[in-house]
Amino acid sequence: MCGIVGYMGNQDATPVIMNGLRMLEYRGYDSAGICTMDSGEVEIRRSSGKLVNLERLLKEQPLYGNIGIGHTRWATHGKPTVANAHPHKGGSVVVVHNGIIENYLLLKDELSNKGHKFLSETDSEIISHLIDEKLKSTTSLEEAVQQALKELQGAYALCILCHKDNKTMIAAKSGSPMVVGIKGNEFFVASDMPAIISNTREMVIMEDGEMAVFRNGEVKFCTLDGEDINKTSRIVDWSPLKAEKNGYPNFMLKEINEQPQAIRNVVAGRLREDKGDVFLEELGLNNSGLNAFERLCLVACGTSWHAAMAGKYLIEEHCRIPVDVEIASEFRYRNPLISEKTLLIAISQSGETADTLAALREARSKNAHIVSICNVVDSSIPRESDGVIYTRAGLEIGVASTKAFTTQLVALYLLTIRLGRANGAIDLKKGQEMLAALNKLPAQVEKTLELDSQIEEIACEYLTSWDAIYLGRGISYAIALEGALKLKEISYIHADGYPAGEMKHGPIALIDREMPVFILAPNDRHIVKVRSNMEEVITRGGKVVALCSEGDNETGKRAEFTLQIPWAGEALSPVLFTVALQLIAYNFAILKGKDVDQPRNLAKSVTVE
Ligand code: M6R
């Protein structure tokens, strides 16, 4: 899973491509590379690690030319080395690839038998060799690409150059996202719009099985059978968001601190206080439309899946509608029971997660109505949905999701109110109370952020621990999972989240004097039971960090540390507990000297299976 950029025009290609790659680094930062074509020659620069290494290399060994392609890699096949970095060259053909070629070993064997020599362990390299092989028996690069791509199984978004046809650049896609930007006779290709929107707002979205051939200041779209396609461009009206740290040492801390504003944004203009309801016209469903569904199915991955888990608690509790929560990568392959009576809700920060997108398509094929909850405007998932609730969290750069998650929780809370008002499960008074609680939330997030120095002390105390457990009941179980994931992602400490009542069925064996147990104990209906679970840990010598509600001076009495978190009611307190858990993970990672914005092995958006 990677980011690709292509450029053809009258500017120097290198800075255009590097700017695009900077915007795509969220897709992977294992290695990066660029190829430009100048006076009929192709030249390549590649480096392992983050883009900054390629920038350094280009200072020492600059590249020139008005045509070029670039790549930032998240390694799937082959280690993150220079040899495995894209672009890959096979004979006269150079490619950058995002996706996975599933039949690459077979093709590699065939090509090796024909004399092709491979220099990398990647699946991608075979594409350049295959096109080069086809060039031997075809009359044009275009035709060679068409023939080669028909033999590929798997997913790809590709940009292709060939020094034998040095006036041409080709882009093609199947299963991985790709957009083309047009500015007069200049052309930009990228994995997503933000990578090129600073150059042009005129975009063409490529569909699977399509190719774009750029030559002599013109672009032609066609199928792999060579049939021309008449594609229309659209003008994108949103502005590129700037990635700036605004004085924070890293993006993650900035994004954690942006949560009060992000929550104000997701709520802005959506509350209907007089009716105890919310405006969610973007759903494209009125009351009778909403009431027509027999069940809801929430699909997502990672942190967004945790939001879905919390959403199930909210919607079933307040709207009395059955909700299934599905991990997208499982859902897509198990022939799920979905019908036109199912409202499928795909949750994704990026809107590009391959598994979530595939799950959405699976549900579409079974006639579900599809709504997404998404942060990135105009990304693939909202584009393929019938309705969308944008979370308006703003650009999230830190790979570990923070403000995207809490705004997803708020979006689900808004959806809960809408569904409950539509079916009558939430009456006017309750609706108004829920809105009143929501209005207080940003200030309560601000207050929770003030716990940072207490949290730093906790992180110092347990810094040498290898493991941690997070326990919660009810909706707090979903938040325990998220807290554990945050710690794992950025501090590399192993952590697991469990329903507190489940601990005695196994995980209790792990309790010792070294491992912190973070117990989520908001002042909700579960508090007495959670206190008992805490006692079970303490009795076995476990070290408890109790996260409880402000004013609760009972729960933390026997804990090693206590954090008191503002009480926002059972449905919204999870947002505040999340903020505390984000700060816990952050402090551990910083004290351990880790790169919180770009943790090892991860990528912001996972666009492969
Ligand atoms: O963009 P998405 O929300 O679809 O991404 C899903 C997961 O890949 C993502 O939440 C991942 O788990 C994050 N690194 C969590 O911090």
Side-chain angles (χ1 to χ4, degrees), residues 518-564:
F518 296 96
I519 300 194
L520 280 61
N523 198 12
D524 60 18
R525 76 186 93 163
H526 306 288
I527 184 68
V528 176
K529 303 284 176 206
V530 175
R531 282 185 194 145
S532 302
N533 299 136
M534 187 183 302
E535 282 306 319
E536 290 157 12
V537 175
I538 293 169
T539 306
R540 286 158 181 87
K543 303 292 179 200
V544 167
V545 177
L547 288 86
C548 56
S549 296
E550 223 167 47
D552 172 1
N553 297 322
E554 185 60 34
T555 304
K557 268 187 183 155
R558 300 224 298 133
E560 302 284 316
F561 290 93
T562 305
L563 292 170
Q564 290 207 349

Side-chain angles (χ1 to χ4, degrees), residues 298-561:
L298 273 48
V299 289
C301 301
T303 284
S304 298
W305 180 73
H306 299 152
M309 291 276 290
K312 175 181 170 75
Y313 282 96
L314 287 176
I315 296 165
E316 288 193 341
E317 166 78 18
H318 297 284
C319 312
R320 311 309 296 158
I321 305 170
V323 179
D324 295 319
V325 176
E326 300 269 0
I327 290 185
S329 55
E330 290 294 315
F331 176 88
R332 60 183 291 192
Y333 288 118
R334 66 170 187 79
N335 196 10
L337 291 167
I338 296 288
S339 74
E340 71 284 356
K341 296 277 183 197
T342 309
L343 174 58
L344 183 115
I345 302 182
I347 307 178
S348 174
Q349 186 286 130
S350 62
E352 298 294 348
T353 300
D355 286 319
T356 310
L357 189 57
L360 179 159
R361 288 175 181 161
E362 173 70 20
R364 164 86 63 213
S365 74
K366 293 180 152 64
N367 302 318
H369 188 91
I370 300 184
V371 163
S372 52
I373 295 180
C374 193
N375 191 35
V376 178
V377 175
D378 264 343
S379 50
S380 301
I381 289 173
R383 281 203 314 263
E384 294 199 22
S385 303
D386 301 308
V388 55
I389 306 175
Y390 281 119
T391 51
R392 305 175 183 164
L395 191 61
E396 191 180 68
I397 301 281
V399 165
S401 204
T402 53
K403 60 178 180 170
F405 178 68
T406 46
T407 52
Q408 284 169 349
L409 293 179
V410 173
L412 284 158
Y413 184 84
L414 295 174
L415 180 64
T416 302
I417 297 174
R418 185 74 278 279
L419 287 165
R421 292 297 287 135
N423 74 3
I426 297 176
D427 62 17
L428 174 66
K429 183 164 171 285
K430 185 174 167 190
Q432 286 175 331
E433 283 166 7
M434 289 179 83
L435 297 184
L438 189 52
N439 278 326
K440 289 188 202 142
L441 191 65
Q444 291 177 311
V445 174
E446 273 157 13
K447 195 145 187 234
T448 309
L449 289 167
E450 290 168 12
L451 293 171
D452 191 42
S453 53
Q454 281 182 61
I455 289 175
E456 191 182 351
E457 254 181 74
I458 299 171
C460 281
E461 176 70 20
Y462 298 113
L463 202 56
T464 54
S465 301
W466 287 98
D467 302 283
I469 286 187
Y470 290 69
L471 300 176
R473 279 179 181 254
I475 194 168
S476 293
Y477 164 48
I479 306 307
L481 290 174
E482 174 59 9
L485 178 63
K486 278 301 81 96
L487 190 72
K488 278 186 274 211
E489 280 187 302
I490 59 170
S491 74
Y492 316 146
I493 295 171
H494 170 251
D496 272 323
Y498 293 102
E502 181 67 9
M503 185 192 55
K504 57 187 174 292
H505 297 290
I508 200 163
L510 296 169
I511 303 295
D512 64 17
R513 290 174 193 285
E514 311 299 325
M515 178 180 66
V517 181
F518 296 96
I519 300 194
L520 280 61
N523 198 12
D524 60 18
R525 76 186 93 163
H526 306 288
I527 184 68
V528 176
K529 303 284 176 206
V530 175
R531 282 185 194 145
S532 302
N533 299 136
M534 187 183 302
E535 282 306 319
E536 290 157 12
V537 175
I538 293 169
T539 306
R540 286 158 181 87
K543 303 292 179 200
V544 167
V545 177
L547 288 86
C548 56
S549 296
E550 223 167 47
D552 172 1
N553 297 322
E554 185 60 34
T555 304
K557 268 187 183 155
R558 300 224 298 133
E560 302 284 316
F561 290 93

Side-chain angles (χ1 to χ4, degrees), residues 221-238:
F221 295 95
C222 59
T223 65
L224 296 189
D225 290 322
E227 283 163 24
D228 286 356
I229 309 170
N230 197 4
K231 296 214 37 112
T232 42
S233 60
R234 52 178 287 207
I235 305 299
V236 173
D237 59 6
W238 42 270

